Amino acid sequence: MSLSSPSPPPRPKRFGRRGSHASAGRSRRPRLSRRFFGGLLRTPPAAPDTTDPSADRLQRLWNDLSTSRAQTARWKRHADAYARERDSVARERAYLLSWLAALHPSSAVVSRSPTPDGTTSDGNALDDTAGNGTAGGWHVLTLVAGGRPLSWSLAPREVPLFQHVRQAGDTDTRAWRDAREMEAQYAHIHRHTRVLALEDDLTRVVEELRGND
């Protein structure tokens, strides 16, 4: 019995370009790439809303409170500016009245202000610390000009400016005047001012005529 030589191993089959293993691998690569990059470019899902409603409400309330505080501070600055301007005007008025009283020494008099309705002449509550029915230190300046009595209310802090004016012991009811009486006083002051101006012009004209003679 003769021993035969072993047969050579079978050759691997060769495939063409189509159907080959290499071409199959190359055909799968683009598909895998599209899946990979498509996943990267896909929009991620929105994150769940974890906002606490109570915290959001507290934040809105805090913002409203901050806005209200800022507005309050702004209006307080305006009110303080108006108060300073009012006090400045009242101070100038008091000095002018003191000067006017010095020009009418024979008729000017300062008397206490009455309180028939429980309020002062500026509408504030009565501060009758003396218990005598007067308006907590409020006084009235009265003088005669142009044949008519004129009067003005004086605040307690303004009274020291009228030490040169005669003081009356009785209260003066002229402090309580309505708007019509005040308007009548203003009209009389306007007429009297015009008369004084005319008198000054007439005096100057008479002096010029006498100088020409």
Side-chain angles (χ1 to χ4, degrees):
M1 181 173 175
S2 61
L3 296 174
S4 60
S5 60
S7 59
R11 291 183 175 181
K13 295 181 180 181
R14 293 183 177 181
F15 298 95
R17 291 185 177 178
R18 294 183 179 179
S20 63
H21 295 288
S23 61
R26 286 195 299 268
S27 64
R28 286 196 296 269
R29 288 195 189 99
R31 191 176 303 170
L32 294 175
S33 300
R34 285 194 298 269
R35 290 179 182 176
F36 177 75
F37 288 106
L40 293 178
L41 298 176
R42 189 180 301 115
T43 304
D49 187 8
T50 59
T51 304
D52 188 0
S54 60
D56 184 64
R57 184 169 179 270
L58 288 176
Q59 183 63 37
R60 291 198 305 269
L61 291 175
W62 176 257
N63 294 338
D64 294 342
L65 179 61
S66 300
T67 302
S68 300
R69 286 177 174 174
Q71 292 178 351
T72 301
R74 179 166 58 88
W75 284 111
K76 186 179 183 303
R77 289 194 298 270
H78 291 327
D80 293 341
Y82 296 150
R84 289 192 297 269
E85 183 177 358
R86 180 201 60 193
D87 293 342
S88 177
V89 172
R91 186 166 181 264
E92 183 175 2
R93 169 186 176 272
Y95 275 96
L96 290 175
L97 288 178
S98 176
W99 180 33
L100 183 63
L103 298 177
H104 298 79
S106 60
S107 63
V109 60
V110 172
S111 56
R112 293 176 298 178
S113 177
T115 58
D117 57 354
T119 59
T120 61
S121 56
D122 63 347
N124 294 327
L126 170 64
D127 181 19
D128 188 9
T129 55
N132 54 10
T134 59
W138 284 78
H139 287 68
V140 182
L141 169 66
T142 305
L143 56 85
V144 178
R148 185 184 189 278
L150 308 174
S151 60
W152 296 269
S153 298
L154 302 177
R157 65 175 179 271
E158 300 169 351
V159 175
L161 295 175
F162 296 85
Q163 298 296 327
H164 60 285
V165 182
R166 180 169 54 92
Q167 302 289 322
D170 298 332
T171 58
D172 193 337
T173 58
R174 278 185 293 251
W176 308 106
R177 296 169 297 170
D178 55 17
R180 183 174 57 185
E181 292 176 345
M182 291 297 298
E183 291 297 330
Q185 175 169 305
Y186 297 153
H188 175 76
I189 293 174
H190 179 65
R191 290 192 301 268
H192 185 56
T193 302
R194 294 183 61 185
V195 169
L196 292 177
L198 290 175
E199 290 179 352
D200 185 65
D201 292 340
L202 289 175
T203 302
R204 186 172 61 253
V205 170
V206 170
E207 291 178 353
E208 291 178 356
L209 293 175
R210 289 178 178 176
N212 294 332
D213 295 342

